[in-house]
Amino acid sequence: GQNIDQPTEMTATEGAIVQINCTYQTSGFNGLFWYQQHAGEAPTFLSYYVLDGLEEKGRFSSFLSRSKGYSYLLLKELQMKDSASYLCAVRDSNYQLIWGAGTKLIIKP
Amino acid sequence: IAGITQAPTSQILAAGRRMTLRCTQDMRHNAMYWYRQDLGLGLRLIHYSNTAGTTGKGEVPDGYSVSRANTDDFPLTLASAVPSQTSVYFCASSEKGQGSDEQFFGPGTRLTVL
């Protein structure tokens, strides 16, 4: 079966750095997405990766290793507005997105 | 305003009743999707449509039906609601449904079946 694993919840301090991991086992791989979802709102797109390596976009960076079925989202200089759930999703061989349950990130002052 | 709209925002429904959740997008996207989101579970695909006139079953299609008569609209129907269909329902769309295409989500419909 297809499976995507993320930690359920993480807590970090404002101004700090946090790494959210995602491991996946899917039938085929056509890219990995990260989405952000604030409580009571819809998910919004953060990033898409299909090649191995590290890519930085401002305060957010993401790493992908296809051979290990592993990705992480790195958030730097945490702000209170970063409190949200972060969803990892993989596009499978049928081009459908398989979603992880999401990691709820709690930021403390 | 460009984007996706869903209606209603929330609904309480008696078991056994029929209900249609509406979804409209004005981005001229080819692909549209219906997901349900339950606490502790990831978004689960109910049905999808890669283009107007075609539909497909997702991971959890039982008890739901969809139609795609035109590009903009993608309604989801619960023929006879059951309590296990209590969930938050999100409609989404993407330009082609391939590659790096991101999915844009509507605001969601919170449905409670009693």
Side-chain angles (χ1 to χ4, degrees):
Chain A
Q2 308 202 90
N3 192 52
I4 296 185
D5 287 320
Q6 306 178 235
T8 302
E9 187 175 296
M10 300 182 71
T11 302
T13 304
E14 191 176 15
I17 299 173
V18 70
Q19 178 175 311
I20 301 173
N21 296 324
C22 170
T23 58
Y24 62 88
Q25 290 179 308
T26 56
S27 58
F29 179 86
N30 284 295
L32 185 143
F33 294 79
W34 284 97
Y35 278 75
Q36 181 189 59
Q37 184 177 24
H38 285 101
E41 298 182 7
T44 56
F45 171 80
L46 284 178
S47 60
Y48 167 80
Y49 302 94
V50 67
L51 299 177
D52 290 351
L54 178 67
E55 185 172 326
E56 298 190 15
K57 291 184 179 180
R59 293 191 299 114
F60 291 12
S61 302
S62 184
F63 172 82
L64 174 66
S65 169
R66 290 171 295 170
S67 63
K68 295 183 179 179
Y70 169 68
S71 173
Y72 67 71
L73 182 67
L74 191 72
L75 289 71
K76 306 175 186 175
E77 302 170 12
L78 286 170
Q79 302 175 10
M80 297 304 293
K81 67 179 182 180
D82 297 329
S83 292
S85 289
Y86 291 86
L87 314 181
C88 175
V90 172
R91 193 184 294 282
D92 70 6
S93 57
N94 293 319
Y95 292 96
Q96 299 302 338
L97 289 186
I98 309 301
W99 296 81
T103 298
K104 182 178 180 180
L105 178 62
I106 299 168
I107 311 295
K108 295 185 175 180
Chain B
I1 299 176
I4 301 180
T5 58
Q6 292 184 236
T9 301
S10 65
Q11 181 76 44
I12 298 175
L13 190 66
R17 297 295 296 268
R18 180 183 180 90
M19 175 75 190
T20 295
L21 308 185
R22 300 185 298 279
C23 174
T24 299
Q25 54 104 357
D26 63 2
M27 297 176 283
R28 307 304 294 173
H29 283 172
N30 286 310
M32 296 188 74
Y33 313 86
W34 274 106
Y35 291 97
R36 59 178 292 173
Q37 187 175 41
D38 302 290
L39 195 64
L41 299 176
L43 288 162
R44 291 184 291 169
L45 183 65
I46 304 171
H47 285 286
Y48 65 93
S49 170
N50 288 329
T51 189
T54 69
T55 62
K57 294 181 179 180
E59 179 186 357
V60 289
D62 294 344
Y64 307 94
S65 64
V66 292
S67 62
R68 186 89 184 276
N70 57 59
T71 298
D72 299 344
D73 301 301
F74 192 44
L76 176 73
T77 298
L78 288 67
S80 179
V82 295
S84 62
Q85 292 178 312
T86 293
S87 187
V88 179
Y89 290 85
F90 286 104
C91 179
S93 73
S94 65
E95 188 173 359
K96 296 178 182 178
Q98 299 177 4
S100 61
D101 265 10
E102 63 177 280
Q103 291 186 7
F104 295 84
F105 285 80
T109 294
R110 185 174 296 275
L111 181 67
T112 302
V113 182
L114 302 176

